[in-house]
Amino acid sequence: MQATPEDAFLYISPIGYKKSSSCGYCRRKGTGHTYFARATSMSPASYQTLIDRCWRRSGLLLYRPNQRDACCPHYTIRLDSARFRTTRDQRQAVNRFNKYVIGDVYAKEAARLYPKSREQARKRDSEFDLVERIHECEDVLLKRPPKPSHVFTVTLEPDDYTEEKYLVFENYQQIVHQEPPSSISRDGFKRFLCSSPLRREKFTAPDGRERQLGSFHQCYRLDGQLVAIGVLDLLPDCVSAVYFLYHESFHKFSPGKIGALREIALAMEEGYRWWYPGFYIHTCPKMRYKIDFSPQQVLNPDTLEWVDLTQGILKKFDGHGYLDFEKAEENSGKDENTASVGGSAAMEIDGHESEVSSEDDSESDEDISLFNSTMPGIPSVEEMNSVDLDRVAVRLTRGYCYAGDLFEWHSESIEKQGSAKAMVAELVAAIGPEFIHNLCLDFKRS
């Protein structure tokens, strides 16, 4: 095999299709299954492909849940920032926080020193420009004199570990999630929120604008103290929210709303366009806040096509949170109103949540074949038999080779559970056979 550039592949190793021991949402004994893999390095474009095929990540762990047999089915949703319209309570949250930071004294004195034109004042009173308002109280943009009541900054930083970040995480997990101190650790924080397989890159869009790609921490500081962190994956076509955490002292400012709106504004102003708030679980009350931001689309896991998440579609979720897309689309024209759920109490408690999945939560002793599963969108054994698995790249200590040159599997069936060929076939099926040339098996690093 010829030498291949280091950044050419998605470096990945299969873990397998596992049954959950328990559900992290309804706390019932698990009946669902998830396909797991571990990535050691990938381009942001590779991860964009994965999340558009029902995958998410938790640290280096990649996972794709089976919606059909889950007690709490997971669905990928996304918001088009170009079409986003704020609600009254979202606007109020931004305005209240801006007023707190700036203060009445500053507002009055700045109005005198830097008066707006009649047209500017009219526009501000009649329109709510999210990008303008979300930055309004940032210290770097405030004119001086006078001095504002508080100093507020937001910086996009590498997703590196610092003790300052960990202390916010520790406070958030203890106070908001009420986790015992014994279950919170620096190693866990590093593994979950400071370890990403995404390579950082610069991307030049068709319009000539350059934007950052990779995993970052969006850090919010008030009067010099770190009060909130948005963990983000910036991808070619989206801002993907991984996790949002905040210090208890910031709770009164509706941090979940502020964080989500700032991420949507980032998608607007930097040209990412789409905001992915993570999986949506219809039966989980803590997830309902996600569709307070609209209009959104939901990914059909069977066809991998996006469907507008209207009120009509929402009504088609069954009692277990499963959505039959075929039935939903038959009636989609009856109610085209954009989906929105009143109230955001869950956001005020939890911020926007990450779907924390772990292979440790699976019953790994159970031998299950992905090809015998009900997971939507998975090619059949017959289809996979026509895929040339011999051409999958494998990383060596030095250079690469093809799987067909490394494994003695030519007479093996992909249905032979536990064999190398079956494991590779399941991985390719879960990602998509059309992306086989982008994969590189990386067993050593994993």
Side-chain angles (χ1 to χ4, degrees):
M1 182 175 180
Q2 293 181 337
T4 304
E6 184 74 16
D7 61 354
F9 289 123
L10 158 57
Y11 295 96
I12 192 170
S13 59
I15 295 173
Y17 186 63
K18 308 290 183 181
K19 181 178 179 180
S20 301
S21 59
S22 63
C23 177
Y25 297 95
C26 66
R27 304 300 177 186
R28 289 178 290 192
K29 181 175 175 58
T31 58
H33 295 78
T34 298
Y35 185 85
F36 292 98
R38 183 172 286 107
T40 50
S41 177
M42 72 171 94
S43 68
S46 293
Y47 188 53
Q48 178 82 59
T49 296
L50 290 180
I51 65 172
D52 286 340
R53 300 181 70 87
C54 306
W55 289 79
R56 293 291 288 180
R57 75 171 185 90
S58 177
L60 300 177
L61 186 70
L62 301 173
Y63 59 103
R64 178 178 175 174
N66 183 348
Q67 291 86 1
R68 283 208 178 98
D69 71 357
C71 52
C72 298
H74 297 49
Y75 290 94
T76 301
I77 59 174
R78 68 180 186 178
L79 177 143
D80 184 352
S81 66
R83 298 170 58 206
F84 175 62
R85 296 294 179 267
T86 54
T87 61
R88 181 181 180 185
D89 66 311
Q90 291 163 2
R91 294 191 293 271
Q92 287 175 339
V94 173
N95 290 334
R96 277 196 302 265
F97 182 63
N98 287 347
K99 184 176 180 180
Y100 170 80
V101 172
I102 292 172
D104 290 337
V105 173
Y106 179 93
K108 292 177 182 178
E109 188 64 10
R112 183 183 67 83
L113 293 173
Y114 317 108
K116 290 183 172 61
S117 68
R118 183 174 299 179
E119 178 59 26
Q120 288 173 326
R122 185 201 62 77
K123 184 176 180 181
R124 178 180 169 76
D125 290 341
S126 61
E127 299 178 15
F128 186 91
D129 184 318
L130 176 61
V131 172
E132 176 186 297
R133 294 291 180 96
I134 207 73
H135 293 297
E136 192 171 74
C137 68
E138 290 179 31
D139 191 66
V140 68
L141 298 178
L142 293 177
K143 296 179 180 179
R144 285 178 171 76
K147 288 178 62 176
S149 296
H150 302 277
V151 175
F152 179 65
T153 62
V154 180
T155 53
L156 194 64
E157 305 175 8
D159 62 337
D160 299 329
Y161 172 90
T162 68
E163 187 67 11
E164 179 188 34
K165 293 175 184 177
Y166 172 71
L167 292 176
V168 176
F169 174 77
E170 182 181 51
N171 176 269
Y172 179 75
Q173 298 301 117
Q174 286 186 14
I175 303 302
V176 176
H177 286 288
Q178 299 182 342
E179 290 188 12
S182 60
S183 69
I184 306 168
S185 68
R186 287 169 174 79
D187 285 343
F189 173 63
K190 291 176 185 177
R191 187 170 57 251
F192 173 35
L193 297 176
C194 303
S195 298
S196 170
L198 271 65
R199 299 186 286 268
R200 291 198 193 104
E201 302 174 356
K202 294 285 188 178
F203 174 75
T204 302
D207 61 5
R209 287 194 293 177
E210 187 178 76
R211 53 181 179 261
Q212 297 185 85
L213 303 182
S215 299
F216 295 88
H217 289 165
Q218 193 167 49
C219 296
Y220 301 66
R221 291 181 173 85
L222 186 60
D223 295 328
Q225 179 186 359
L226 183 65
V227 293
I229 306 168
V231 183
L232 306 177
D233 288 334
L234 302 183
L235 308 179
D237 297 313
C238 77
V239 173
S240 176
V242 178
Y243 204 62
F244 188 81
L245 55 149
Y246 55 86
H247 190 271
E248 60 181 312
S249 62
F250 200 54
H251 175 80
K252 59 187 175 183
F253 299 116
S254 303
K257 287 193 188 77
I258 296 294
L261 291 169
R262 183 167 284 273
E263 291 165 13
I264 294 169
L266 177 63
M268 286 181 178
E269 60 188 323
E270 297 299 327
Y272 298 100
R273 182 179 174 182
W274 299 96
W275 176 62
Y276 285 55
F279 284 133
Y280 172 68
I281 301 174
H282 189 68
T283 53
C284 180
K286 290 182 180 180
M287 293 282 182
R288 291 300 180 95
Y289 78 87
K290 291 185 178 184
I291 51 176
D292 283 341
F293 301 86
S294 62
Q296 293 210 46
Q297 296 179 328
V298 59
L299 184 64
N300 182 336
D302 276 301
T303 64
L304 300 178
E305 295 175 343
W306 293 96
V307 177
D308 288 339
L309 190 58
T310 63
Q311 288 289 355
I313 295 293
L314 278 173
K315 292 175 182 177
K316 302 304 176 183
F317 280 95
D318 68 16
H320 296 288
Y322 179 73
L323 177 60
D324 187 327
F325 278 86
E326 289 187 7
K327 290 183 179 179
E329 289 174 1
E330 287 174 7
N331 299 288
S332 61
K334 295 181 180 179
D335 188 348
E336 294 300 326
N337 294 325
T338 298
S340 180
V341 174
S344 302
M347 172 169 279
E348 301 318 309
I349 297 171
D350 291 302
H352 38 296
E353 286 301 306
S354 169
E355 303 70 38
V356 185
S357 189
S358 169
E359 60 182 305
D360 295 332
D361 295 331
S362 64
E363 297 177 356
S364 58
D365 58 339
E366 185 173 348
D367 207 23
I368 309 168
S369 171
L370 180 65
F371 297 120
N372 293 330
S373 75
T374 60
M375 183 180 281
I378 297 298
S380 67
V381 170
E382 290 72 23
E383 290 172 309
M384 287 304 301
N385 278 330
S386 66
V387 176
D388 188 3
L389 298 177
D390 290 346
R391 303 294 290 179
V392 175
V394 182
R395 188 172 199 156
L396 304 175
T397 302
R398 291 184 179 179
Y400 310 84
C401 73
Y402 286 122
D405 298 327
L406 182 66
F407 299 113
E408 295 292 334
W409 67 13
H410 301 291
S411 61
E412 282 185 6
S413 167
I414 62 173
E415 295 182 87
K416 184 181 178 182
Q417 192 63 26
S419 68
K421 193 168 190 178
M423 292 182 68
V424 173
E426 289 186 0
L427 174 67
V428 172
I431 290 177
E434 61 267 44
F435 300 105
I436 191 170
H437 298 297
N438 300 105
L439 305 181
C440 183
L441 301 176
D442 191 9
F443 297 109
K444 184 177 179 181
R445 287 193 176 187
S446 64

